[in-house]
Amino acid sequence: MVSIDRKHPCALCEACTLRLRPYVPDLPITDAELIFIGDAPGEEDVIKGKPFAGQSGKLLAQAISKAGGTPAKVSRHNAVACRPPDNRAPTSEEIACCAPRLKDELLRQDAAVKIIALGKTPSELLLKWSDEDTDMKMTERMGRWWAWDNRKWMSTWHPAYVLRMPSEAPQLLTHIKRAIDTTSADAVTEEPQVVHANTFEELVAICNRVQDDTWVAFDIETDQVNWYDRPDYIKDSIIAFGFAWKITFGVAVNPDLMYDDERVVPFLNGFMARVKLAAHNGKFDCIFLRTGMNLRVRPDFDFDTMLAHYALDETPGKQGLKGIAFEEFGIPNYEERIISQYLRSRNDYYSKIPYDKLTLYMIWDVTVTLRLRELFEQRLRATKLALNPNASLYEWPFINLLMPAQAPLAQVEIRGLHVNKPYLEGWRDRLI
Ligand code: URA
């Protein structure tokens, strides 16, 4: 074989089909704010001798500025450092030959700097290095934190794709903002403790440790989500009730106690009225607790992390707690780990799950909700409104619109909605 000089000491140029193509070295920056990885250099990048010098680089720089970052302070890398012919994507063999070079470049940088993989090629490579499923769809892998060699990385759309699909620009921006956001939390690995309240006296002793106006996250587990059609089933429908005011542990109140000891519900009503309540999709829990157990949890409880997430990111289908827990804190899906093996499907009866597993799962939910409450309040307050810089997303739409809407919407769900058919039909006649 003809000996070939390596363009980079770690690149396997001798085995690579791109070995005679133009080489554009990566552009690492000392004290970088962020690290970006693209797929391969483009035409203008070759002319200017640096990555992301063309149109997609311009869009990337705009997005970084708009997200509050400094384009000059980001490191720019590529999965493959030589330009493939005819503007084609690099092949898996070419990516494999260049991967040791990229790894070497990335490992030279501070492990605390977050990495963003732009598009399919670099995100597939990093998923592989992180021992994750490389077949995952782009929409599933994007915008959430993954861990590789103690470094946090996420993937998002490639700016070249956004140039063709401008409707994806807001998502690119959201992801870069998330990476720049210093409130972005560190990974959580420790399992929370479950404290069981099995007697009224234990419950009172625990609740007395909580000062007035403390933030308390609560959650229930129900056997099935629809019990309205089977009123005789109410007693069995709430099979666990839990709350947490610390992130390291939560309290599981024995459901038999709640149904059978008549002092418990009035006591919990007093407790929940003197603290500040947070929940994830709490309207669901409130409806069950009020109708099933006469626990007067206010449907206008104080903070819903699902609504807060929605105010920050309207992307449909992304408001689930497990996905957010993974995205924000790197917590692997505890639903799969703790309870999925007991269920045939997500609609199966939760009473099949052993109580200790169910309560551990519930306490994960409440401790994650408590963490998210604080994080999302900071983030909502930090996002000023374009038309009124004195107000933030926290005021509009979160506290003044979305949260107060809980109470009337819960009433609609409990009582139904009266539709005045003749009146509406009258309007149809008038409109036609
Ligand atoms: N320029 C680069 O350097 N990389 C890309 O992925 C696209 C353009």
Side-chain angles (χ1 to χ4, degrees):
M1 190 197 279
V2 185
S3 101
I4 299 256
D5 284 343
R6 288 186 170 180
K7 296 171 182 173
H8 180 285
C10 300
L12 307 176
C13 303
E14 60 279 12
C16 184
T17 37
L18 295 177
R19 60 182 172 267
L20 299 177
R21 300 285 305 162
Y23 169 66
V24 178
D26 287 355
L27 197 59
I29 299 280
T30 326
D31 297 330
E33 281 175 356
L34 277 179
I35 297 169
F36 285 90
I37 313 173
D39 44 18
E43 195 176 1
E44 266 189 86
D45 309 327
V46 172
I47 296 167
K48 299 201 174 126
K50 55 183 186 188
F52 287 103
Q55 286 308 312
S56 57
K58 274 196 195 113
L59 179 68
L60 182 63
Q62 279 170 1
I64 295 167
S65 301
K66 212 160 176 202
T70 313
K73 291 187 78 180
V74 305
S75 291
R76 293 164 165 84
H77 299 260
N78 277 311
V80 163
C82 293
R83 177 160 156 70
D86 308 322
N87 227 9
R88 69 159 168 79
T91 64
S92 51
E93 290 79 16
E94 291 159 357
I95 294 166
C97 289
C98 224
R101 174 204 58 86
L102 176 64
K103 208 178 242 185
D104 176 68
E105 291 287 344
L106 296 177
L107 290 175
R108 284 167 194 274
Q109 308 210 30
D110 184 347
V113 184
K114 294 171 196 152
I115 299 172
I116 300 193
L118 297 166
K120 200 162 169 286
T121 302
S123 69
E124 220 156 80
L125 192 59
L126 268 90
L127 281 174
K128 196 163 139 206
W129 293 351
S130 314
D131 284 330
E132 299 289 348
D133 174 14
T134 50
D135 289 334
M136 200 184 308
K137 282 192 219 132
M138 198 56 203
T139 45
E140 278 170 41
R141 59 174 93 155
M142 281 194 318
R144 40 168 65 177
W145 288 116
W146 303 93
W148 162 64
D149 198 73
N150 283 330
R151 286 149 211 265
K152 281 177 90 172
W153 71 273
M154 88 163 50
S155 62
T156 187
W157 298 121
H158 193 292
Y161 175 71
V162 175
L163 284 172
R164 296 195 302 278
M165 294 287 282
S167 58
E168 304 298 0
Q171 230 182 5
L172 172 69
L173 193 62
T174 302
H175 295 154
I176 299 179
K177 266 191 190 154
R178 184 169 301 153
I180 288 174
D181 185 354
T182 48
T183 63
S184 216
D186 286 339
V188 173
T189 48
E190 211 143 288
E191 193 108 86
Q193 298 292 307
V194 184
V195 175
H196 289 277
N198 286 320
T199 65
F200 178 62
E201 289 69 27
E202 278 173 2
L203 179 65
V204 172
I206 290 168
C207 291
N208 284 347
R209 288 164 53 196
V210 186
Q211 296 192 339
D212 290 357
D213 289 327
T214 302
W215 278 107
V216 175
F218 73 99
D219 187 29
I220 59 171
E221 299 306 328
T222 60
D223 198 14
Q224 282 271 283
V225 284
N226 329 305
W227 55 273
Y228 307 103
D229 301 336
R230 295 171 298 158
D232 52 322
Y233 195 66
I234 286 177
K235 183 167 181 243
D236 299 325
S237 67
I238 297 173
I239 54 174
F241 172 78
F243 60 89
W245 74 97
K246 300 271 185 203
I247 53 177
T248 47
F249 71 93
V251 181
V253 184
N254 187 324
D256 289 342
L257 194 64
M258 296 179 71
Y259 287 113
D260 299 336
D261 186 328
E262 59 195 22
R263 296 169 297 173
V264 169
V265 166
F267 175 78
L268 279 174
N269 277 331
F271 172 65
M272 296 182 89
R274 71 177 179 81
V275 296
K276 290 195 279 191
L277 292 176
H280 193 81
N281 192 17
K283 182 162 58 61
F284 170 86
D285 305 58
C286 290
I287 291 171
F288 263 79
L289 289 168
R290 284 172 80 88
T291 48
M293 202 172 255
N294 200 26
L295 196 58
R296 289 189 298 281
V297 181
R298 293 161 287 133
D300 56 342
F301 57 96
D302 306 280
F303 200 106
D304 193 311
T305 49
M306 189 176 88
L307 294 179
H309 185 273
Y310 183 73
L312 290 160
D313 179 359
E314 290 180 28
T315 314
K318 287 199 64 192
Q319 274 72 36
L321 189 57
K322 314 309 172 269
I324 301 175
F326 184 69
E327 206 169 276
E328 298 291 350
F329 309 120
I331 299 173
N333 191 327
Y334 50 89
E335 180 174 9
E336 268 170 26
R337 180 168 61 83
I338 303 171
I339 63 170
S340 289
Q341 70 263 37
Y342 302 103
L343 306 171
R344 265 176 305 148
S345 73
R346 293 195 80 194
N347 295 330
D348 205 352
Y349 292 94
Y350 271 35
S351 50
K352 287 180 169 178
I353 303 167
Y355 185 66
D356 62 327
K357 303 282 186 220
L358 186 70
T359 47
L360 175 60
Y361 166 74
M362 174 177 69
I363 296 308
W364 262 113
D365 272 357
V366 283
T367 50
V368 166
T369 301
L370 199 65
R371 288 172 190 273
L372 287 176
R373 196 217 67 74
E374 195 180 343
L375 180 69
F376 286 170
E377 178 172 346
Q378 280 177 29
R379 210 173 271 170
L380 287 165
R381 287 189 188 279
T383 314
K384 302 293 175 206
L385 300 184
L387 294 178
N388 177 5
N390 293 324
S392 67
L393 282 184
Y394 182 74
E395 287 88 31
W396 292 104
F398 182 64
I399 278 293
N400 292 323
L401 182 66
L402 295 176
M403 286 306 301
Q406 296 306 289
L409 290 175
Q411 289 301 324
V412 168
E413 284 185 38
I414 294 170
R415 297 180 187 185
L417 188 69
H418 175 74
V419 177
N420 187 337
K421 218 172 146 206
Y423 176 78
L424 290 178
E425 277 169 357
W427 270 100
R428 186 185 54 196
D429 294 341
R430 269 188 257 175
L431 288 172
I432 287 173

